[in-house]
Amino acid sequence: TFEVYDGDTLISTGTNKTDGTIEFTPIDYSELTVGDHVFTVKELKESKTGVTYDSSVYTIEVKVGKTGD
């Protein structure tokens, strides 16, 4: 399981598929404030047998704008 945070707020989760890709839940950008955001993505260390967990933390810079004005 993977988690995506905007600061300390969890905004999306993802799970590994059998082909190795990760499918994340959609992020509702309309709930975020306009401006720059830094998302962090990390894998949760669970206790599944035979699984090697990655402790890396990835950052994604996102600029949220307002449409319709």
Side-chain angles (χ1 to χ4, degrees):
T1 302
F2 292 81
E3 294 181 327
V4 181
Y5 287 87
D6 180 16
D8 292 329
T9 304
L10 179 65
I11 59 171
S12 180
T13 59
T15 54
N16 288 72
K17 297 172 87 176
T18 56
D19 65 1
T21 60
I22 303 165
E23 188 171 312
F24 288 93
T25 57
I27 296 172
D28 186 355
Y29 290 94
S30 68
E31 293 188 9
L32 300 176
T33 57
V34 172
D36 297 328
H37 294 261
V38 177
F39 295 169
T40 54
V41 181
K42 59 185 175 182
E43 184 175 19
L44 289 179
K45 187 174 182 181
E46 300 174 295
S47 57
K48 294 180 182 176
T49 306
V51 176
T52 302
Y53 295 96
D54 186 347
S55 62
S56 300
V57 176
Y58 299 92
T59 58
I60 304 166
E61 295 181 11
V62 176
K63 183 178 288 277
V64 176
K66 189 175 181 182
T67 59
D69 286 341

